[in-house]
Structures are given as C-alpha cells and as structure tokens.
C-alpha cells in the first residue's frame, strides 16, 4: 500500500495549473502548500492529506520519491533494516519527524535510497495526524 509519492518539476506554478485541473476531476485538491501562501516550493494533492506531490526540491525527470504505508513503528524499523541490509543507502533513520519542519504530528518514518538513487520511504501515521 502506498502512502504518497512525488515528482520533481521544473516550474511548480506551471505544473500546478495542469494538476489542479487534472486531479481536481478525480476529486483531489491541494491538501498542502509550501510555503502556505504561494505553493512556490511544492504542492501536495489529496483529499485529507497529500498523496501526490509536485515540487522543486526533487530533480525533474529523474530520481523519484515513493512512500509506502506501514502498519506500525516496528514495521518502519524492519523496513529500514532490511532495505539497508539489501544494499540500500540510509537516507533517514527511523523516527518521529519534527512538526516544525512541516511534518504532521505523529509522523514516524524511515528513508532509504535504492540502488538507482530513488528515495524510498516507509511511514506510519499514529492516528493523531
């Protein structure tokens, strides 16, 4: 099960015009913007929380980010350990992510780069999110 995914884009505003229309037709909306007032850095689409991001932080056209939903913190920990053991590169040890950097309260995640450099994430949302 996926939690969210994202792609890098060259121009967030230009891409947002397309995604606002295309994803709006599917019942998805801008669930979050960074910064809040403009969305110039990134926009997350979803219903209650972002499930698909466009942003200027990831290189466009290469190296994607994909997040997989975990059922517990222990499962996030196990994901990280298994991925690193299988040749992945640690890109963020398991733990709660700080709310002051934009993560919702209770967001427990781990990140690993796959052999091609794609950022793979496991996330558990503890219900207070």
């Amino acid at each position: 099960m996926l939690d969210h995914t994202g792609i890098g884009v060259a121009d967030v505003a230009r891409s947002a015009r397309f995604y606002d229309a295309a994803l709006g037709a599917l019942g998805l909306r801008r669930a979050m913007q960074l910064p809040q007032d403009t969305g110039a850095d990134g926009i997350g689409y979803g219903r209650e929380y972002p499930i698909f991001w466009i942003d200027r932080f990831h290189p466009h056209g290469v190296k994607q980010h994909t997040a997989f939903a975990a059922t517990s913190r222990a499962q996030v920990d196990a994901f990280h350990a298994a991925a690193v053991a299988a040749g992945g590169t640690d890109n963020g040890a398991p733990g709660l992510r700080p709310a002051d950097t934009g993560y919702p309260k209770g967001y427990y995640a781990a990140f690993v780069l796959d052999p091609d450099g794609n950022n793979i994430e496991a996330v558990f949302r503890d219900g207070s999110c």
Side-chain angles (χ1 to χ4, degrees):
M1 299 290 272
L2 296 177
D3 185 79
H4 65 273
T5 190
I7 61 168
V9 298
D11 181 332
V12 174
R14 182 186 66 204
S15 294
R17 287 189 290 273
F18 169 78
Y19 284 105
D20 285 351
L23 298 180
L26 301 174
L28 300 176
R29 62 174 180 76
R30 290 185 186 197
M32 186 178 285
Q33 296 188 135
L34 302 172
Q36 288 183 331
D37 57 339
T38 69
D41 293 334
I43 298 169
Y45 293 89
R47 290 187 175 91
E48 297 176 32
Y49 59 88
I51 61 168
F52 177 80
W53 281 91
I54 60 170
D55 64 51
R56 68 175 189 87
F57 303 112
H58 295 92
H60 59 281
V62 296
K63 295 186 171 58
Q64 302 298 303
H65 167 76
T66 303
F68 296 89
T71 58
S72 67
R73 290 181 180 193
Q75 195 175 52
V76 171
D77 297 346
F79 156 84
H80 186 265
V84 170
T89 303
D90 173 48
N91 198 32
L96 284 169
R97 296 305 188 243
D100 64 352
T101 61
Y103 289 98
K105 183 180 176 186
Y107 194 99
Y108 189 90
F111 303 85
V112 178
L113 298 177
D114 75 6
D116 295 306
N118 293 295
N119 189 38
I120 307 301
E121 174 185 358
V123 58
F124 174 68
R125 296 170 185 266
D126 75 2
S128 65
C129 302

